[in-house]
Amino acid sequence: MRSRSAPALLRAGLALGVTGLALSALTAPAATAQDRVLRADRAVTRACFDSPLPARTPGVDRREVTSGVDGLVQARLSPGTGAEGDWDLAVFDKATGAVVAASSALRSRELAESFVTKGQVLVVQGCRYAGPAKSAVLGVDFLALTPQGTPTGTERAEVVRVNTPEQKDKTALLGLDLDLTEKGDATGVEVVLAGDADRKVLRDSGLTYSTVDADLSRTSREHAARDREYAASRASTGLPSGRTSYRHLYEHDHELKELARANPKLVKAFTLAEPSVEGRDVVAVEIAENVEDTHDGKPVNTVMGVHHAREWPAAEHATEWAYELVKGYRDKSLKSLVSQTRNVIVPIVNVDGFSISREAEPKGDFSRFDYEMKRKNCRASDSPPALGTGVCKANPGGSARGTDPNRNYAGFWGGAGASTSWSGETYRGSAPFSEPETRNIRKLVSERAVTNLITLHTYGNLVLRPPGVADVRAPLEEPVVKALGDKMASRNGYESIPSWGLYDTTGTTDDWSYWTTGGFGFTFEINPEGFHPAYENAVVAEYLGTAPAAGAGKGGNRAAFLDMLANAADPAAHGTLTGTAPKGYELKARKTFQTPTSPVRQPDGTTTPPIMVTETLESRRTAPGGRFSWSVNPSTRPYVAGRYGREPQAPPQSAITLVNPPGVPAENPSFPGDGTAEVIPFTVSGLPSADNGRFDVSVSWGSAATDWDLFVLNAAGETVAQSAAGGTNSERATLVDPPAGEYRAVLVNYSQADPANPDDWTAGKVEFASPVPPTYGVKEAYTVTCADKRGRLVGVTDVFVDRGQSVDVGALCTDSARATKQRR
């Protein structure tokens, strides 16, 4: 949610007093640096966070410390001397045995942090999970959070629906830097108002709105209580894991590596390239037959979650999908699809933000820097100096600190739909890929030839496809991309629309990955209720397709994920290179190019020229010996391939004047309500006489104090276009590719400034435009090389391969191929 202004935060918030005490200063006066080294002679596979274990338990070492502050504890592990291993870390309250904080990543780099009270005795427990490392280095710091005065009270956070019937209204809303959700449609978007300052911004904008949830804090507490009751009432659910409640970060990480440990030939857990801002590792899994053979040439299907910290269901669906693939493979129900693909799953991209949101205490209290509703990562470098320092979980900037990772990719970065201000919830960052979260995904996608990608978010019941900005126009492959999105939406009951249909966004995951690589990319907005509402609805029902989810009886997100997996396995959905090569030779397909961002919007409203971003796509294939097959994305990236359109077959229809019937209907603010309205029929012609790519119905009147609403209905009585703005003296409703037939323009007298002297609409018309023809761009090729077992280049060729096409590169890995350097 949107934070209060920086000065207000400093006046009413908490000041940081950092004690910075090392463990050796907390244990005993005679403590030495050796007390910071945890040791275990052998590894034991266990969940370190389950409970505090007695001293001298095999595989465990522990320390007791006492907090000297009301504030935060930060416990860190780092590798000891010698070989790298996997140590986990947990902090417990000694009196109750309850876990306070934990960390279960794949190496010995762990960070466990949470709130503590002065005098609280803690057990800090290190567990050697796997690997040869017999030691790890422990550090414990306490950070005081000292109240500075008494705030006037916790501000009330609420959710409202802002009316945005026209694109200009969405543009105006985006410019307010409020906390927009992903729940919206053609006429409105739900927005979080964190307090009175946000309410004033919205009121002053002139946009109209209605309340959806008057007290978000209260609703969050109610959901938490419902979750506790749900988990206590059952031992398992129908989910692949049987899980009954939201996981913590350390539980997600532990379960992923347990899947890998139990299924070593099928599952591999790995760490993404860069740690987070606060130093956490990002854990992922890969699932495939003979999983260690990473470069086997199979198409790569990727599912990821939690770019936005508060969107907990996104991580749950991703982790359940990992369980689904493993269990389905065992039961042979999914074996065929798994055997044809490689599956990469990253449940939590933004690990710092998620940890803060998930560990927020007390749950539902947004007075402490809105921790639970944090959206962004922990970047502080763009904040004002007074707010740019300190630990993220206790920073005076609160939830305002950070960059929105899903506005930081290079795809159209810098344009509409992202904030230029560090405190905006959609802050784009200082440059494309300025954040470790986005660099991690960029490296993964660029080096693995990801053919299919779903990025999971909440909320809104949407399947979104590129582009994020309407002016970009749909890609040349729009019919294919739309068909795949529609198919997945038929399973989960969501609406399948282009991303701009919600509102403009730039710098998003799927826009960058699709336009750059040609791999299909979609965003799912899970559930209609909230960022992390009741687990039984947002996770169990939405995943399985049971009531009350929109996908009840249709298969839910499980079936939608299966559709995407089947598409990944289909050679018609990507390119294929074939040929022959000796066993163990390495083939590479590579191309380097530059793509411009959007013209870069500046905080003062001006724009500067686009930034040219250099991209390198390189995937590898290890030759099995003899004939090989290698799945790759199309050579020509969609950004330069062209744009979708349709060649006109006839001129557009001539404009139609709408005749205003006599009189003014009564006010009718609840259309269709009692049916009071003016109805003007009109006819849309079709071929051979006219080819209409769109029509625009418009009306106008004298005073903006009067409010008419416009609806366009087809012959079946369905609303196919509408415009219901406030504070204007006109309305315009648009329908693209309108079918020929009878239509009705319905004018509703929403309100009159002076009912005694009604302001009637005076001008109305229907204007038609031709379809926009398709455009076709340049073609690009991969440079494919082959190296022998010594790394010597023995073959090179340029290859163009289209989607659904198989191209034979022949016997590339021969000395004659190297000598001739043939080009195709």
Side-chain angles (χ1 to χ4, degrees):
M1 83 177 40
R2 185 172 181 267
S3 178
R4 291 169 288 177
S5 66
L9 280 169
L10 293 175
R11 288 195 302 271
L14 303 175
L16 286 178
V18 181
T19 65
L21 298 177
L23 179 65
S24 58
L26 299 170
T27 51
T32 68
Q34 291 300 309
D35 293 316
R36 301 179 60 219
V37 179
L38 303 183
R39 294 179 173 82
D41 288 336
R42 64 188 179 95
V44 180
T45 53
R46 61 161 64 93
C48 196
F49 52 80
D50 271 352
S51 63
L53 298 167
R56 294 181 294 279
T57 299
V60 173
D61 200 0
R62 48 178 275 172
R63 302 287 187 271
E64 288 189 11
V65 297
T66 301
S67 172
V69 302
D70 290 319
L72 287 176
V73 60
Q74 277 196 329
R76 289 183 183 269
L77 275 185
S78 57
T81 58
E84 176 79 76
D86 183 357
W87 282 71
D88 295 337
L89 183 64
V91 180
F92 299 93
D93 178 76
K94 184 179 180 181
T96 64
V99 63
V100 174
S103 181
S104 303
L106 296 180
R107 303 185 292 181
S108 300
R109 295 165 175 83
E110 309 289 350
L111 169 59
E113 66 175 358
S114 195
F115 296 104
V116 291
T117 58
K118 187 173 182 178
Q120 185 176 6
V121 181
L122 305 171
V123 175
V124 183
Q125 177 170 285
C127 303
R128 182 182 169 190
Y129 176 86
K134 294 184 178 182
S135 66
V137 179
L138 173 66
V140 179
D141 292 320
F142 290 96
L143 297 91
L145 300 177
T146 307
Q148 299 292 299
T150 303
T152 56
T154 302
E155 288 198 83
R156 176 176 58 85
E158 65 178 317
V159 180
V160 299
R161 177 181 167 86
V162 180
N163 298 317
T164 57
E166 295 187 1
Q167 189 62 39
K168 65 180 181 180
D169 303 313
K170 288 184 169 62
T171 301
L173 177 59
L174 286 168
L176 301 180
D177 259 357
L178 294 174
D179 189 356
L180 275 61
T181 76
E182 279 69 40
K183 186 174 184 182
D185 53 33
T187 62
V189 178
E190 289 191 9
V191 177
V192 178
L193 304 178
D196 292 340
D198 284 358
R199 279 183 274 274
K200 184 177 186 305
V201 167
L202 185 55
R203 283 197 306 269
D204 291 350
S205 74
L207 295 170
T208 60
Y209 60 95
S210 57
T211 300
V212 175
D213 184 342
D215 191 336
L216 190 57
S217 302
R218 179 187 62 202
T219 300
S220 183
R221 291 192 295 272
E222 291 171 352
H223 284 154
R226 182 174 170 183
D227 284 349
R228 289 191 293 270
E229 293 172 2
Y230 182 78
S233 69
R234 66 203 67 231
S236 182
T237 61
L239 293 171
S241 71
R243 184 80 187 186
T244 62
S245 63
Y246 284 112
R247 297 167 172 90
H248 297 265
L249 174 62
Y250 53 83
E251 292 176 299
H252 280 286
D253 288 350
H254 178 75
E255 290 183 35
L256 292 184
K257 64 186 184 184
E258 277 291 283
L259 277 176
R261 184 186 65 83
N263 305 275
K265 293 184 179 180
L266 185 65
V267 185
K268 177 177 67 176
F270 65 99
T271 299
L272 296 190
E274 293 191 42
S276 68
V277 171
E278 293 208 313
R280 291 181 174 89
D281 281 346
V282 182
V283 177
V285 290
E286 186 160 3
I287 300 172
E289 283 189 350
N290 302 316
V291 68
E292 292 295 339
D293 184 14
T294 303
H295 305 298
D296 62 3
K298 293 177 181 176
V300 179
N301 182 52
T302 299
V303 174
M304 63 184 70
V306 190
H307 275 76
H308 296 147
R310 62 197 176 190
E311 298 174 4
W312 309 348
E316 297 294 327
H317 283 245
T319 295
E320 292 303 326
W321 177 237
Y323 276 97
E324 186 81 58
L325 294 174
V326 173
K327 290 195 170 185
Y329 186 82
R330 289 173 180 168
D331 298 338
K332 298 186 179 180
S333 59
L334 284 177
K335 186 170 184 177
S336 176
L337 289 177
V338 173
S339 68
Q340 297 175 68
T341 58
R342 301 190 72 86
N343 292 270
V344 176
I345 300 168
V346 189
I348 303 168
V349 173
N350 178 6
V351 289
D352 289 344
F354 175 77
S355 179
I356 289 171
S357 174
R358 185 66 184 91
E359 304 306 317
E361 295 289 348
K363 190 179 176 78
D365 178 5
F366 300 153
S367 62
R368 182 174 285 181
F369 297 146
D370 308 334
Y371 285 151
E372 189 182 330
M373 286 296 154
K374 183 172 178 62
R375 171 186 172 100
K376 300 188 287 183
N377 74 353
C378 283
R379 175 68 65 194
S381 59
D382 298 311
S383 309
L387 302 179
T389 58
V391 175
C392 190
K393 198 168 187 175
N395 186 272
S399 70
R401 168 179 171 155
T403 295
D404 180 349
N406 205 39
R407 299 296 185 275
N408 187 243
Y409 292 87
F412 309 115
W413 184 90
S419 176
T420 61
S421 168
W422 73 270
S423 61
E425 288 293 346
T426 59
Y427 177 54
R428 68 196 185 194
S430 58
F433 297 117
S434 63
E435 306 308 304
E437 292 85 1
T438 55
R439 291 196 298 270
N440 275 334
I441 301 306
R442 181 193 199 185
K443 183 175 177 64
L444 175 69
V445 171
S446 297
E447 295 181 356
R448 295 300 307 277
V450 171
T451 61
N452 295 69
L453 182 148
I454 296 176
T455 176
L456 302 173
H457 290 254
T458 63
Y459 60 104
N461 276 16
L462 296 170
V463 174
L464 302 174
R465 65 183 184 273
V469 181
D471 289 345
V472 169
R473 288 183 58 195
L476 204 57
E477 299 176 305
E478 164 67 2
V480 177
V481 180
K482 180 181 184 301
L484 180 55
D486 291 352
K487 184 175 184 179
M488 292 188 289
S490 74
R491 311 294 193 180
N492 54 26
Y494 299 173
E495 186 178 4
S496 171
I497 61 172
S499 291
W500 60 261
L502 177 61
Y503 48 72
D504 282 348
T505 55
T506 51
T508 61
T509 320
D510 52 356
D511 252 357
W512 169 78
S513 65
Y514 172 71
W515 294 100
T516 301
T517 74
F520 290 135
F522 293 87
T523 295
F524 282 19
E525 296 290 350
I526 299 169
N527 95 85
E529 297 180 72
F531 298 114
H532 48 262
Y535 185 86
E536 62 179 306
N537 290 353
V539 180
V540 179
E542 292 287 340
Y543 186 87
L544 297 175
T546 58
K554 304 172 185 176
N557 277 329
R558 176 188 182 275
F561 294 165
L562 285 170
D563 285 337
M564 192 63 151
L565 181 60
N567 183 269
D570 184 357
H574 54 262
T576 304
L577 299 178
T578 61
T580 59
K583 185 175 182 178
Y585 278 43
E586 184 176 70
L587 301 118
K588 290 183 181 179
R590 176 186 175 95
K591 58 179 176 175
T592 297
F593 50 86
Q594 287 191 315
T595 304
T597 66
S598 298
V600 181
R601 297 167 59 244
Q602 301 300 318
D604 63 2
T606 62
T607 59
T608 55
I611 299 169
M612 298 303 296
V613 178
T614 301
E615 304 279 8
T616 297
L617 307 181
E618 180 179 279
S619 59
R620 291 188 285 164
R621 173 72 164 101
T622 302
R627 195 77 180 161
F628 66 81
S629 178
W630 182 9
S631 297
V632 295
N633 281 313
S635 297
T636 299
R637 55 201 162 104
Y639 185 84
V640 298
R643 298 293 188 268
Y644 179 69
R646 183 164 59 80
E647 295 290 348
Q649 303 299 306
Q653 187 174 345
S654 298
I656 299 172
T657 299
L658 299 181
V659 179
N660 190 343
V664 177
E667 288 189 359
N668 179 19
S670 56
F671 176 79
D674 61 5
T676 301
E678 291 182 336
V679 180
I680 304 97
F682 65 93
T683 301
V684 173
S685 302
L687 292 171
S689 62
D691 188 359
N692 299 311
R694 62 182 282 174
F695 69 59
D696 294 277
V697 182
S698 61
V699 295
S700 60
W701 56 94
S703 171
T706 294
D707 191 358
W708 287 86
D709 289 344
L710 169 64
F711 300 85
V712 180
L713 280 58
N714 62 15
E718 301 165 327
T719 299
V720 294
Q722 59 187 336
S723 180
T728 70
N729 65 344
S730 65
E731 302 285 1
R732 177 182 293 271
T734 300
L735 182 62
V736 177
D737 285 333
E742 301 301 319
Y743 291 82
R744 290 172 286 164
V746 179
L747 275 298
V748 176
N749 178 9
Y750 185 83
S751 66
Q752 291 281 347
D754 181 4
N757 299 287
D759 185 5
D760 202 358
W761 63 274
T762 55
K765 56 186 174 181
V766 183
E767 296 175 291
F768 298 87
S770 293
V772 178
T775 60
Y776 300 93
V778 299
K779 287 193 172 186
E780 296 177 327
Y782 285 115
T783 295
V784 180
T785 61
C786 182
D788 63 18
K789 293 181 180 180
R790 295 184 180 182
R792 298 176 303 179
L793 184 67
V794 296
V796 58
T797 186
D798 289 340
V799 174
F800 179 83
V801 57
D802 210 344
R803 196 181 304 278
Q805 192 176 41
S806 179
V807 174
D808 193 338
V809 298
L812 179 65
C813 301
T814 64
D815 288 338
S816 60
R818 178 180 60 179
T820 60
K821 293 184 182 292
Q822 65 187 70
R823 298 285 177 173
R824 297 193 178 190

